[in-house]
Amino acid sequence: MKILTTSFLTCAVKACKSSPLSFPLHYKDAELEQSDIAYNPRFLINILPRIDWDAVRVTATELGFTVPEEKPELPALDASSSTDTIEPADEKTLRELHTLLLETEVREGKLVCGNCGHEYKIKEGIANFLLPSHLGEFELFPFCFLH
Amino acid sequence: MSRPEETLPPDLFYSDAESRKYTTSSRILSIQSSMTHRALELLNLNTPSLILDVGCGSGLSGEILSSIPPSEGGPHIWIGMDISASMLDIALQRDVEGDLLLADIGQGVPLRPGSIDAAISISAIQWLCSADSSDVSPVGRLGRFFGGLYAALRRGGRAVCQFYPKNDEQRSMICNAAIKAGFGAGVLEDEPGTKNAKLYLVLTVSGGDVPKGDITG
Ligand SMILES: [Zn+2]
């Protein structure tokens, strides 16, 4: 599980969607691994505006990394040009983001919802988001519980 | 031969043996690959994107997404969802680049609003209409899925789902669920009337461009 993916995951329990406590999910007992993924500056420039940096900071801290307080600013790239000229300072930032967001992976551990406490297990990098049906469907039939 | 989704839910059908069979049959590999390329063409992405692969199975489509060259707007980064642990296990053994979620798309999409650029789904969403161990109706599961997908896509984002509806009724049930979730929807049919006919549900989130050509089907 990449930190990039973690920064987009939310608790699958429908009642948690509206709670600010359900994001980000919190790592417990995480075992890390560095993977090797092709450096992709255009992807980072595309995705960074959508990343909640505060959530990345929470996750990074839980995993033992230190990241800047402010989200780094990146240049816009010309979509029609295939050759990119990137300033050395931006290049350094992009490489660091690449390592943190794409190459740092959690192989084993748990992601825990801060609202409902549900634990999503991660085994060999695969996160189990299957919900027991009573959790998944609770919001669909709220009135059943009144009778 | 009966259709697999009529006999068993996908997590039971794709046992270890079935999953391996699916991933090694060269005929299936080539069909899967051409459908993935067709779906990508319909997504029309011009920059490396974050793509959700719905029903990613053993990662056959994902490998294609990872290997699109920069000259064609790639490579893309993907997240795969599948309900079959056996299929995901094969994806793991094949060392795919995408992150894998063991998840039931009929329970929704556990991603923050506006996370992904695009979604792709090859031969998966008709499973939502099949008998299932949970007591939720196909309409409820389709609503959960399309509602979750709509929210997870960025504005202007697009999804392409190749699917095999059992009949016209199932086809309209699926399309109506997508439209109800807020999508602009069109069905594209390749090689209509032949045994190679393929249906693609092309879904747009407002703010995006409508794909070129007639997709109203
Ligand atoms: Zn929760």
Side-chain angles (χ1 to χ4, degrees):
Chain A
M1 182 65 46
K2 299 174 181 62
I3 292 181
L4 175 85
T5 307
T6 312
S7 77
F8 290 123
L9 281 175
T10 175
C11 183
V13 176
K14 200 169 179 213
C16 289
K17 294 266 182 206
S18 55
S19 164
L21 292 173
S22 70
F23 179 82
L25 299 173
H26 299 284
Y27 273 117
K28 252 173 76 177
D29 310 326
E31 287 173 30
L32 298 173
E33 192 180 84
Q34 284 298 121
S35 65
D36 194 14
I37 288 183
Y39 172 58
N40 193 339
R42 281 177 179 269
F43 175 74
L44 289 165
I45 290 166
N46 170 22
I47 202 75
L48 199 65
R50 272 173 281 159
I51 288 182
D52 183 324
W53 194 251
D54 290 336
V56 169
R57 291 191 68 214
V58 169
T59 302
T61 307
E62 285 168 359
L63 297 177
F65 301 102
T66 312
V67 296
E69 266 182 46
E70 299 290 327
K71 188 194 280 191
E73 283 185 26
L74 295 177
L77 289 183
D78 178 3
S80 60
S81 153
S82 57
T83 50
D84 302 325
T85 41
I86 298 172
E87 297 294 319
D90 291 330
E91 176 84 19
K92 183 171 176 287
T93 306
L94 283 163
R95 293 272 176 189
E96 283 169 0
L97 283 169
H98 177 71
T99 304
L100 175 75
L101 297 173
L102 291 161
E103 294 195 318
T104 306
E105 298 202 19
V106 173
R107 299 303 299 172
E108 301 286 331
K110 288 171 195 147
L111 276 169
V112 185
C113 173
N115 189 51
C116 71
H118 190 82
E119 295 188 341
Y120 299 93
K121 289 200 175 60
I122 300 172
K123 280 185 187 161
E124 297 186 85
I126 301 178
N128 184 345
F129 270 76
L130 287 174
L131 289 176
S133 57
H134 70 280
L135 281 178
E137 313 310 341
F138 178 74
E139 280 292 304
L140 265 183
F141 304 111
F143 305 112
C144 300
F145 293 84
L146 298 174
H147 300 297
Chain B
M1 196 183 81
S2 67
R3 298 162 54 90
E5 64 271 22
E6 278 172 22
T7 49
L8 288 168
D11 49 336
L12 297 177
F13 177 76
Y14 290 115
S15 63
D16 289 356
E18 287 290 342
S19 299
R20 211 163 302 277
K21 209 159 73 189
Y22 191 91
T23 312
T24 49
S25 152
S26 63
R27 188 178 145 269
I28 288 175
L29 284 178
S30 118
I31 295 174
Q32 175 94 11
S33 161
S34 69
M35 292 191 296
T36 302
H37 283 288
R38 181 68 166 127
L40 265 172
E41 193 178 290
L42 295 167
L43 285 176
N44 196 21
L45 300 165
N46 58 15
T47 197
S49 300
L50 183 61
I51 303 181
L52 180 68
D53 184 349
V54 176
C56 64
S58 54
L60 299 173
S61 300
E63 277 185 336
I64 293 172
L65 302 179
S66 300
S67 62
I68 299 296
S71 58
E72 290 168 35
H76 303 296
I77 302 293
W78 56 280
I79 300 170
M81 287 175 78
D82 206 285
I83 198 173
S84 165
S86 302
M87 281 287 199
L88 293 179
D89 198 47
I90 295 182
L92 203 66
Q93 290 165 31
R94 295 169 65 238
D95 208 18
V96 297
E97 265 191 16
D99 270 341
L100 305 170
L101 304 180
L102 178 63
D104 176 1
I105 56 171
Q107 289 183 332
V109 177
L111 296 175
R112 298 264 290 166
S115 305
I116 50 175
D117 292 291
I120 189 171
S121 180
I122 304 297
S123 316
I125 59 171
Q126 69 275 359
W127 286 104
L128 285 164
C129 302
S130 70
D132 185 83
S133 51
S134 77
D135 24 271
V136 180
S137 68
V139 171
R141 292 171 54 75
L142 284 165
R144 271 297 180 87
F145 166 61
F146 284 116
L149 183 65
Y150 184 83
L153 280 161
R154 68 167 171 78
R155 300 309 90 179
R158 192 182 287 184
V160 174
C161 306
Q162 179 275 327
F163 69 123
Y164 292 112
K166 188 168 67 179
N167 48 38
D168 285 351
E169 187 194 351
Q170 203 176 74
R171 171 178 162 164
S172 30
M173 183 164 79
I174 289 171
C175 294
N176 289 340
I179 290 163
K180 203 174 162 209
F183 282 110
V187 175
L188 178 82
E189 185 167 11
D190 282 350
E191 300 186 56
T194 71
K195 67 177 173 46
N196 296 321
K198 297 281 180 302
L199 287 181
Y200 295 85
L201 180 60
V202 181
L203 303 173
T204 52
V205 177
S206 56
D209 310 320
V210 179
K212 289 187 191 75
D214 181 21
I215 57 155
T216 51

